[in-house]
Amino acid sequence: MLIRVGYEIAIRCNEPTPMTTYLNLESARISDIQCERGPAAMPDVYLEMFRDLFGNSCLRLLAPAGNLALKYDAVVKDSGLPDPIDKDAQEITVDRLPTNCLAYLSASRYCETDELSNLAWNLFGHVQPGWSRVQAICDYVNQRLTFSYGFARATRTAAQAHEERVGVCRDFAHLAVAFCRCMNIPARYVNGYLGDIGVPADPAPMDFNAWFEVFLGGKWHTFDARHNQRRIGRIVVARGRDAADIPLIHTFGPHELTNFKVWTFEEHDPSFASQRFEKVSLITPWFSPRWSRLSRHIRESTKAEPTP
């Protein structure tokens, strides 16, 4: 299977502003890239690659005063298989965990384990340890929170999401991560691409997705409290303790976001020349007339497709 991924992000700064990005594909997928354009900046600025403390591939640059656009487009080879399941994966006691897992047991900026510990043990202490317990956490978070882009707030923590009962994918991931850590299960936050492959098309604007990984049975496993199902075509961009570690873009000074488009879909044209898809910006309000027309068009197109 081939998957098309990419983004167009634009900002405006009043003066030259240092900036970092966490937008590159993880190193493990580099060999799967069949063709790509970018990452590129307009106007042209020097892009310096570096690796952060978690091993993520990042960029740093000096954004000029005025407008700056960052673009990337690629076709990536994928197995086409859903996330693996290992119901026999067991928890490992803290004293036997690899040292590099310990950082994923502690509280972090958006995951307040101290505030949620008693609740976590009351909710999940009776559940069979291991895979079943993590799945129970996903089930609870999925039912507890209501998803909508209209609920997005950059400062919302896991405990706040639990009380407000709303959020976007990062809030689902943060709450699940916090609960896992409360139960002494190492958990880390993941950001990446996830298209509507093998599931009904979602008319909402495409965005980067957030999910999480837990360490069970000696390896890391993928879980997704937002969608709460095994999905096809996850492409990791970065991993960290929570979203504070891996912001998509971070400027060391004020900026205005003027464009934000993301695409992820199964690609049937290996020539990489096609631009058939409409890239909807998340800057466009989801309730705008343009968004309503696009949403209606997608629904009608889906209904019109012949049943295989």
Side-chain angles (χ1 to χ4, degrees), residues 37-299:
R37 298 190 184 102
M42 296 178 63
D44 187 30
V45 297
Y46 176 64
L47 304 177
E48 178 185 350
M49 302 278 292
F50 72 97
R51 292 201 178 277
D52 71 355
L53 296 175
F54 301 95
N56 299 307
S57 176
C58 315
L59 292 174
R60 63 182 297 187
L61 61 140
L62 182 64
N67 297 315
L68 172 71
L70 300 174
K71 298 184 178 182
Y72 181 75
D73 194 16
V75 173
V76 182
K77 185 178 180 180
D78 190 80
S79 68
L81 300 175
D83 304 320
I85 297 175
D86 185 0
K87 294 184 178 180
D88 295 325
Q90 298 298 311
E91 295 178 21
I92 299 175
T93 58
V94 175
D95 60 297
R96 296 176 55 227
L97 282 171
T99 304
N100 58 10
C101 288
L102 298 181
Y104 301 106
L105 288 174
S106 303
S108 54
R109 167 68 178 85
Y110 294 107
C111 301
E112 319 97 313
T113 54
D114 52 345
E115 292 190 33
L116 293 168
S117 182
N118 289 339
L119 175 62
W121 280 98
N122 288 335
L123 290 171
F124 311 112
H126 66 284
V127 180
Q128 181 180 351
W131 189 277
S132 296
R133 178 174 278 168
V134 178
Q135 185 56 58
I137 290 172
C138 286
D139 293 342
Y140 177 84
V141 173
N142 181 266
Q143 293 298 313
R144 177 77 182 182
L145 304 188
T146 298
F147 177 90
S148 173
Y149 286 121
F151 298 143
R153 190 175 79 239
T155 58
R156 182 183 289 116
T157 67
Q160 290 170 346
H162 185 269
E163 292 306 307
E164 296 171 16
R165 305 192 69 162
V166 296
V168 291
C169 58
R170 62 178 265 162
D171 300 304
F172 284 74
H174 283 151
L175 183 54
V177 164
F179 278 147
C180 286
R181 292 177 185 171
C182 289
M183 306 305 295
N184 295 326
I185 302 172
R188 60 190 184 187
Y189 178 91
V190 186
N191 189 56
Y193 294 96
L194 179 63
D196 299 323
I197 301 174
V199 298
D202 186 344
M206 183 62 67
D207 192 2
F208 287 99
N209 265 261
W211 58 90
F212 70 106
E213 296 173 345
V214 298
F215 194 80
L216 297 172
K219 62 185 293 188
W220 291 97
H221 300 269
T222 296
F223 283 86
D224 186 340
R226 155 73 174 98
H227 298 99
N228 203 24
Q229 65 182 111
R230 315 315 286 176
R231 292 286 294 268
I232 296 171
R234 292 186 198 272
I235 300 178
V236 173
V237 169
R239 298 179 175 90
R241 292 169 298 182
D242 60 30
D245 287 332
I246 52 173
L248 294 172
I249 60 172
H250 178 72
T251 57
F252 297 85
H255 75 271
E256 177 189 358
L257 185 66
T258 58
N259 187 29
F260 191 96
K261 300 177 182 178
V262 181
W263 52 94
T264 311
F265 59 91
E266 185 176 1
E267 176 61 87
H268 300 285
D269 179 8
S271 70
F272 189 56
S274 173
Q275 292 288 339
R276 302 184 310 275
F277 54 98
E278 179 173 3
K279 297 161 290 186
V280 182
S281 175
L282 286 177
I283 299 299
T284 302
W286 66 271
F287 50 82
S288 70
R290 179 186 177 215
W291 167 236
S292 297
R293 290 193 300 271
L294 178 66
S295 177
R296 183 171 61 254
H297 171 72
I298 292 175
R299 289 196 300 269

